[in-house]
Amino acid sequence: MTDHYEPGTGNVSDQEARERVNRLLTDYPKLADKHKDSEGLPPTRTWFIPPHYHKDYYLRDVVSLCEQGYGEVELHLHHGKHCPDTSDNLRETIKLCLEEFSQFGIFGKENGKTAYGFIHGDWALDNARNNQFCGVNDEISILKETGCYADYTFPSPNEATPKQINSIFYAKDDPSKPKSHNTGKPVTANGQCDSEDLMIVQGPTFPYFRDNKLTKLRVSGDEIAGHTPLKPNRIDACIRSAISVKGKEDWVFVKMHTHGATDGDAVLGQEMDDIFTYLESKYNDGKNYCLHYVTARETYNLIKAVENGEPCEDPSLYRNYRVSAPQYNSTPDIACASKTLQERVARTYKDNEDSQPSQNDQAQASSHSSEPDIACTSETLQQE
């Protein structure tokens, strides 16, 4: 499960945003502890958190869940909302995010360098929404340059989604044009890749009949939000989408997404409980299927193990294959992003719900120096 985690969405009060975080801290362990995969591990979640919600200790508190083994944190970024972003500002924003998030031990290492997973805000990866919500045509190159190991944005409900659906592939950047991720080279077993290309890990896109009626044909994606509950027929359809590394089709990757702060009733309550129960009853019999709950980082590692020609009989051996496990630490008393990072983000992304910093934010931000202001969960199913 990839979670676009934004506690203040909907212009809610600081109190309501805090209540959303507190609910996650209380309810997710209760939910996860009821379930186990084939390795005896609980369901994990990857919280993709944007820097404008590194405030009021939200980031630190989610890290405390990661310390307990309930998931991991990666980078989510909204930018280019009220004016197009620039390559230089995007690059520096990401560098600051990596530096400040790393104060909590977030992010692993690949070849000795900080490595991160990414989800683009408003789905607009590589300026794919007509110069809105981004503005940077060479975004894929910048992501690779700064250590991004894979993107988990798609599918999306708009024009940004790739033409090449239900696949794991490499996007080759064309800095002169937007949406370089529209198509790409599939990741293959015993394959090769260009080190400058970005891996795109997608969730399923599939047709289904709502209420099992022929007159209610719908197209669904990887969202779990509660308004259209993920029932067994749609879970089965997700798995039939068979997203895998070419040549290793018996490992099926099922990436789902949610906006967990606002969709808590679905992803912290009965619907998510029912989803896990169904997965564990139908897709974890040890004969036809083995279920593995994995984070975004672990998903990438499993994919790379297959690509590199490893035996890949037991997925558990490759959870830390390329990107090492983060060393989470929730003890630093850091409430919010530095003033420098806040200013970087605000150059192209201003939102009413974030316009008034809290007292914690003001106190913490004042302690940081600033520079002059310039312009599902992913699940893996092993078929026996």
Side-chain angles (χ1 to χ4, degrees), residues 280-307:
E280 292 156 17
S281 63
K282 184 168 182 178
Y283 294 104
N284 197 33
D285 60 9
K287 297 179 181 179
N288 299 304
Y289 298 97
C290 289
L291 176 69
H292 303 268
Y293 292 126
V294 292
T295 64
R297 179 189 62 86
E298 291 170 333
T299 297
Y300 169 77
N301 283 333
L302 294 174
I303 292 167
K304 293 299 288 187
V306 174
E307 182 184 51

Side-chain angles (χ1 to χ4, degrees), residues 1-9 21 24 44-54 58-60 62-63 65-66 70-78 97-98 101 106-108 115-123 125 143 147-154 198-203 222 254-262 294-300 323 326 328 349 376-379:
M1 176 75 79
T2 60
D3 190 337
H4 306 213
Y5 197 69
E6 302 174 69
T9 295
V21 176
L24 173 69
T44 50
R45 191 164 294 181
T46 304
W47 293 279
F48 287 78
I49 300 179
H52 64 280
Y53 281 117
H54 178 9
Y58 300 155
L59 183 60
R60 182 201 66 179
V62 175
V63 166
L65 286 179
C66 301
Y70 291 114
E72 298 183 357
V73 170
E74 300 288 357
L75 182 61
H76 187 28
L77 184 65
H78 289 261
C97 287
L98 299 182
F101 280 36
I106 296 169
F107 309 126
Y116 66 96
F118 187 74
I119 287 179
H120 200 293
D122 300 293
W123 319 103
L125 180 69
L143 290 173
C148 181
Y149 60 77
D151 176 85
Y152 296 84
T153 302
F154 302 110
L198 179 64
M199 184 184 291
I200 306 294
V201 180
Q202 298 185 86
D222 66 345
V254 186
K255 179 200 77 76
M256 307 300 289
H257 94 270
T258 188
H259 289 77
T262 53
V294 292
T295 64
R297 179 189 62 86
E298 291 170 333
T299 297
Y300 169 77
V323 178
Y328 290 107
Y349 184 82
C376 177
T377 280
S378 178
E379 289 93 29

Side-chain angles (χ1 to χ4, degrees), residues 87-97 341 344 371:
S87 299
D88 288 342
N89 188 60
L90 172 62
R91 182 180 292 106
E92 293 307 312
T93 300
I94 292 175
K95 288 180 179 179
L96 282 168
C97 287
L341 178 52
R344 279 282 180 187
E371 61 185 36

Side-chain angles (χ1 to χ4, degrees), residues 218-236:
R218 300 287 187 271
V219 175
S220 183
D222 66 345
E223 183 180 39
I224 302 177
H227 47 74
T228 305
L230 193 66
K231 298 293 186 180
N233 64 322
R234 291 177 61 214
I235 297 173
D236 294 341

